[in-house]
Amino acid sequence: MSGKKVFVVDAGGRGNAIAHAFAKSSSVETVFISPGNAGSEMIEKCRMATVDGKPPKTISEMLAFAKHELIDLTFIGPEGYLSEGIVNVFQEEGQRILGPRKEAAILENSKCTTKDLLKSLNVPVPPCKNFDDPALAREYAHQFCSDNPGQGLVIKADGLAAGKGSVVCSTEEEALSTIERIMVSPKLFGQAGERIEIEKRLEGRELMFFALSDGRTVQPLESALDYKQAFSTDEAVAVRLFNKLSNNPNLENNPNTGGMGGFSPHPWLDEELTQKIMNEIAMPTVRGFHEATGHEYVGVIYFGLMISEEKEPSVLEINVRLGDPETQVILPRLETDFFQLSEALLDRKLDSVPLQWSSDYCLGICATSGRAIKPHSSGGGGERPGYPGEHYTNMPITGLEKVDPDVLVYHNGTAFGQDATDKRRLFTTGGRVLTLVARGRCLAEARIKAYDNIKRIRFNGMRYRKDIGQGYL
Ligand code: GLY
């Protein structure tokens, strides 16, 4: 088998890492990526997908591209296209495409439906209730807070909200204001917030658990410890400044992000806990979903879990995709051929492909567009707090050529453009700009290499957490 063409649909660092995993397969000749970014073409065998010089963006443009290029396998990264039904459209046209169909993508697309399903399957979830009437939601929140003083609540928009639809509330006042802002005015998440789920805030440790499903067999992937908060615990001054510049009245709030970095293997997800999650959560969810709906779940399934002190897991949310930046530190450790693994998933033969992993550690640091004043040479501009708040883009990036050849740089938000002297240069285009990933035989080795290399990259406002891996060495 040789010369296969793969099409990866993803815009970020996760897409770079997925494309890289495919490119390592001896079966694969070319990996096309769309919409991609400047990093997409820096990976061996990888090219940007284009139609008439532009990246295909709509489902029909992508389908036309896949047919024209005689793509052998398409892999979908983000939840949006899956919820819109890209897999259904491609399959109806005879294309081999990996990811859950629209009917199965509901597991991420509707938090309320998913929690109801999980409850009916006896899969552990926090105590929770759904509402489409704000008055009833307020009444419930009021009653909950009166009955459980000091106990926090989590209020979640039902639909997709770009990872921002979950709000932790410590007081009744916060809960009532959140209900108002999501359901009534200003409708923070639009239609996605017409229905909400209110759940009890559980204590414990959060864990991201990834698995593959071909509809019949479910296999766990290795996991990663991720760093969600924008700042480390010793950056109190930076947190306050961020909130001041963001006009946020709570100056001590360390904001959540899509992820600031991480490392794999996970430091406390052991074999016993993995088996427990597989037996009590992953397999019952996939099988129960099939029995309840008649639809098979094929693709990656990602459980956001809370693990109690007694090591009992509860499902906070399900995602129908890989995580970003978790993928960037997990997939480089996969030794199983990713193309053959994807083929096995599509052919319902996952049970015939054992997953093999390197014992190496991978540690990833996300370089983000932090607090900055736009330089005079780029038109000038006021001070912005930086990602995850308002941030500048279009900043020239330098130093990538100084990074060691065995260190990976997966791009999140970058593009090539011309500078004032018409020179082709790399620019930032987003809040998360790139994820630098180093590997080592132990975590300390990976960590030293990652921090040594990230210092060689520069752009105006560049900021990253300095504590990834710290405390686990
Ligand atoms: N890193 C979290 C996510 O991808 O949802």
Side-chain angles (χ1 to χ4, degrees):
M1 193 167 60
S2 71
K4 298 293 181 191
K5 290 186 187 176
V6 175
F7 181 24
V8 174
V9 175
D10 200 300
R14 171 183 57 200
N16 277 201
I18 294 167
H20 188 204
F22 276 120
K24 284 194 272 184
S25 167
S26 57
S27 311
V28 171
E29 180 185 292
T30 310
V31 184
F32 293 95
I33 310 176
S34 186
N37 55 45
S40 307
E41 294 204 326
M42 296 184 192
I43 305 164
E44 185 204 4
K45 298 187 193 174
C46 296
R47 287 168 51 186
M48 294 286 251
T50 51
V51 176
D52 298 331
K54 290 197 206 121
K57 282 200 175 137
T58 64
I59 293 179
S60 57
E61 285 167 357
M62 291 194 201
L63 176 64
F65 172 82
K67 283 175 153 180
H68 181 258
E69 286 293 337
L70 304 177
I71 294 293
D72 294 288
L73 190 148
T74 299
F75 188 106
I76 308 300
E79 66 280 10
Y81 287 118
L82 295 166
S83 297
E84 282 175 43
I86 191 168
V87 175
N88 306 45
V89 173
F90 270 53
Q91 284 180 344
E92 270 133 41
E93 294 286 327
Q95 296 289 312
R96 280 170 72 75
I97 179 165
L98 189 52
R101 285 171 66 85
K102 185 182 171 112
E103 300 82 1
I106 190 134
L107 290 178
E108 180 161 354
N109 201 4
S110 172
K111 313 277 174 289
C112 297
T113 311
T114 300
K115 284 285 164 54
D116 284 346
L117 172 81
L118 296 177
K119 281 192 221 171
S120 75
L121 299 173
N122 289 322
V123 169
V125 295
C128 56
K129 211 165 154 46
N130 303 332
F131 297 92
D132 51 21
D133 178 341
L136 294 179
R138 279 188 220 107
E139 200 179 305
Y140 178 80
H142 167 70
Q143 197 59 50
F144 181 95
C145 294
S146 311
D147 294 347
N148 305 277
Q151 171 70 59
L153 282 173
V154 186
I155 301 183
K156 296 181 178 178
D158 181 48
L160 298 182
K164 300 190 176 96
S166 178
V167 184
V168 177
C169 305
S170 306
T171 61
E172 179 178 339
E173 196 188 352
E174 268 177 49
L176 296 180
S177 141
T178 302
I179 293 166
E180 182 73 15
R181 284 182 299 126
I182 296 180
M183 299 186 88
V184 185
S185 172
K187 296 197 178 211
L188 283 181
F189 311 115
Q191 266 198 330
E194 281 178 1
R195 211 173 160 210
I196 60 166
E197 188 220 325
I198 305 185
E199 73 183 35
K200 178 179 172 182
R201 183 183 184 186
L202 296 187
E203 297 298 326
R205 296 197 282 183
E206 275 196 63
L207 172 72
M208 309 297 136
F209 187 87
F210 301 93
L212 298 175
S213 163
D214 67 2
R216 295 163 201 178
T217 303
V218 187
Q219 287 215 44
L221 288 173
E222 292 253 328
S223 190
L225 187 83
D226 68 331
Y227 289 70
K228 278 208 174 71
Q229 288 186 304
F231 300 92
S232 57
T233 44
D234 60 2
E235 291 184 282
V237 175
V239 169
R240 261 180 245 127
L241 190 50
F242 173 90
N243 287 310
K244 214 169 144 215
L245 290 169
S246 305
N247 294 321
N248 183 350
N250 182 356
L251 290 183
E252 313 304 325
N253 176 51
N254 188 350
N256 267 342
T257 67
M260 295 294 288
F263 65 87
S264 179
H266 195 285
W268 49 265
L269 174 62
D270 56 21
E271 187 51 36
E272 191 186 345
L273 183 57
T274 299
Q275 274 320 313
K276 189 174 178 67
I277 295 167
M278 287 298 291
N279 294 336
E280 295 178 13
I281 291 173
M283 289 191 296
T285 300
V286 168
R287 292 188 185 146
F289 177 75
H290 187 200
E291 277 162 25
T293 66
H295 297 291
E296 283 190 333
Y297 190 96
V298 180
V300 176
I301 185 158
Y302 152 10
F303 296 90
L305 304 173
M306 186 63 82
I307 312 294
S308 71
E309 219 173 292
E310 298 75 31
K311 281 204 155 186
E312 292 299 330
S314 298
V315 181
L316 305 181
E317 63 177 30
I318 293 181
N319 297 304
V320 297
R321 56 181 172 81
L322 284 164
D324 187 332
E326 294 90 336
T327 307
Q328 290 94 303
V329 291
I330 294 174
L331 283 189
R333 298 185 51 242
L334 180 66
E335 290 185 337
T336 306
D337 183 303
F338 196 57
F339 181 76
Q340 281 167 17
L341 179 60
S342 300
E343 290 269 275
L345 275 164
L346 283 175
D347 295 335
R348 313 289 195 268
K349 289 185 182 154
L350 182 58
D351 55 354
S352 68
V353 183
L355 262 60
Q356 273 158 353
W357 298 92
S358 161
S359 58
D360 283 356
Y361 281 74
C362 279
L363 184 138
I365 308 166
C366 292
T368 65
S369 304
R371 181 171 61 85
I373 298 173
K374 201 171 184 187
H376 196 61
S377 56
S378 329
E383 191 171 13
R384 293 190 180 169
Y387 175 78
E390 255 203 295
H391 53 268
Y392 282 109
T393 56
N394 230 9
M395 298 295 182
I397 306 170
T398 57
L400 278 187
E401 72 289 350
K402 296 184 190 148
V403 170
D404 291 342
D406 61 340
V407 168
L408 303 164
V409 181
Y410 294 129
H411 294 223
N412 291 82
T414 64
F416 282 111
Q418 313 296 125
D419 69 9
T421 62
D422 252 7
K423 201 170 150 211
R424 189 171 187 260
R425 294 188 70 168
L426 187 65
F427 290 92
T428 65
T429 59
R432 283 192 294 182
V433 175
L434 50 87
T435 312
L436 180 139
V437 178
R439 66 193 293 155
R441 278 154 299 169
C442 62
L443 185 59
E445 192 184 340
R447 183 169 196 270
I448 289 168
K449 206 183 228 179
Y451 278 107
D452 181 36
N453 274 274
I454 198 139
K455 289 186 200 129
R456 304 176 199 176
I457 300 174
R458 288 182 192 271
F459 53 86
N460 185 35
M462 174 169 154
R463 195 184 79 78
Y464 54 87
R465 273 181 70 152
K466 311 277 187 315
D467 63 337
I468 311 291
Q470 193 175 294
Y472 295 95
L473 302 175

